[in-house]
Amino acid sequence: MNSTEPAQYLFNPVIPSLAVAGSDRRFPVRRVYCVGRNYAEHAREMGHDPDREPPFFFTKHPDGLLADGGVFPYPPGTRDVHHEIELVVAIGRGGADIAVEQALEHVYGYAVGLDMTRRDLQAEAKKMGRPWAVAKAFDHAAPCSALVPAAEIGHPGTGRIWLDINGEPRQEGDLAAQIWSVAEVIAHLSRLFVLEPGDLIMTGTPAGVGPVEPGDRLSGGVQGVGTLEIVVGQ
């Protein structure tokens, strides 16, 4: 190819997407928002007071999604990668300044996700007052199961959320323990950004976060939504 010719991907852009459970459809992903410290016990284990903090958000890259059953390559630049199991919300109808009472009408479906975190880089960023991007938005940092439409399962507000590593329990909680409900998270986020179809929201993790090592098998789920399994690569 002549070096002056544009790369092929400029003409055939790859749009990140998630499978829709039980069908051959896919859900194109526009943005990935994440809620920080949305379970009281997790907030405490990270050294914060959950009773005094409003929700805050950070983002991951859509092309950082990793499908269920995939291999999560151990990322460079870190020696301390942590798991965080989460309920994922998929927005099907956009809007701004969405009222809490109408927020769930904007949800297309739900999935199980992992907010993989380079914890040592995050700690360094916190100490220096810098953004978390290198800790949260690296390649393959957002493993996610197939989406299940809300029309099929409703809107889970309670239910077990868990993660095992190599068959040993690591994280255990209940959606009812979220500080901010899904509807409240959507309403708050929509005051900061115009939400659009294709947006994902990772809604926070329960207590028990910790490190992973190459060869570990992570298996987790959310009651009534589904399960997610990945293997940590080299």
Side-chain angles (χ1 to χ4, degrees), residues 133-222:
V134 296
K136 292 287 193 177
F138 55 91
D139 296 334
H140 312 292
C144 196
S145 73
L147 284 170
V148 182
E152 298 178 10
I153 62 169
H155 298 283
T158 62
R160 179 177 176 242
I161 177 171
W162 75 94
L163 180 74
D164 298 341
I165 299 184
N166 303 323
E168 296 294 326
R170 291 293 183 88
Q171 289 187 262
E172 180 83 28
D174 195 286
L175 298 179
Q178 288 183 332
I179 298 170
W180 299 89
S181 70
V182 168
E184 290 169 330
V185 166
I186 291 171
H188 192 91
L189 185 60
S190 73
R191 299 187 198 114
L192 302 172
F193 301 91
V194 177
L195 297 181
E196 298 286 356
D199 289 342
L200 299 181
I201 306 172
M202 303 184 79
T203 61
T205 195
V209 301
V212 300
E213 301 292 342
D216 283 346
R217 183 173 295 275
L218 281 62
S219 179
V222 176

Side-chain angles (χ1 to χ4, degrees), residues 33-46:
Y33 297 100
C34 306
V35 186
R37 297 192 291 265
N38 197 29
Y39 287 77
E41 289 304 313
H42 174 57
R44 293 188 183 99
E45 76 176 348
M46 300 303 290

Side-chain angles (χ1 to χ4, degrees), residues 2-215:
N2 188 302
S3 60
T4 62
E5 293 181 6
Q8 184 66 21
Y9 74 85
L10 294 178
F11 297 103
N12 297 287
V14 177
I15 299 175
S17 64
L18 288 176
V20 177
S23 76
D24 58 2
R25 294 174 294 160
R26 298 196 66 86
F27 182 87
V29 177
R30 173 180 175 265
R31 293 180 180 174
V32 181
Y33 297 100
C34 306
V35 186
R37 297 192 291 265
N38 197 29
Y39 287 77
E41 289 304 313
H42 174 57
R44 293 188 183 99
E45 76 176 348
M46 300 303 290
H48 299 273
D49 183 348
D51 297 324
R52 295 185 178 180
E53 295 185 349
F56 73 94
F57 302 91
F58 56 92
T59 60
K60 290 179 178 280
H61 299 306
D63 60 5
L65 292 167
L66 176 67
D68 182 29
V71 175
F72 169 76
Y74 199 94
T78 181
R79 296 182 179 179
D80 192 24
V81 178
H82 281 208
H83 55 77
E84 299 188 14
I85 191 73
E86 313 211 356
L87 172 70
V88 179
V89 178
I91 298 297
R93 181 160 64 89
D97 295 316
I98 299 169
V100 172
E101 296 76 14
Q102 281 79 51
L104 296 182
E105 298 172 10
H106 293 256
V107 175
Y108 169 76
Y110 297 91
V112 182
L114 280 163
D115 169 15
M116 303 303 288
T117 303
R118 294 194 277 206
R119 191 70 75 199
D120 47 357
L121 300 189
Q122 184 188 36
E124 182 179 350
K126 288 180 178 179
K127 183 171 62 176
M128 301 182 73
R130 293 177 176 175
W132 294 4
V134 296
K136 292 287 193 177
F138 55 91
D139 296 334
H140 312 292
C144 196
S145 73
L147 284 170
V148 182
E152 298 178 10
I153 62 169
H155 298 283
T158 62
R160 179 177 176 242
I161 177 171
W162 75 94
L163 180 74
D164 298 341
I165 299 184
N166 303 323
E168 296 294 326
R170 291 293 183 88
Q171 289 187 262
E172 180 83 28
D174 195 286
L175 298 179
Q178 288 183 332
I179 298 170
W180 299 89
S181 70
V182 168
E184 290 169 330
V185 166
I186 291 171
H188 192 91
L189 185 60
S190 73
R191 299 187 198 114
L192 302 172
F193 301 91
V194 177
L195 297 181
E196 298 286 356
D199 289 342
L200 299 181
I201 306 172
M202 303 184 79
T203 61
T205 195
V209 301
V212 300
E213 301 292 342

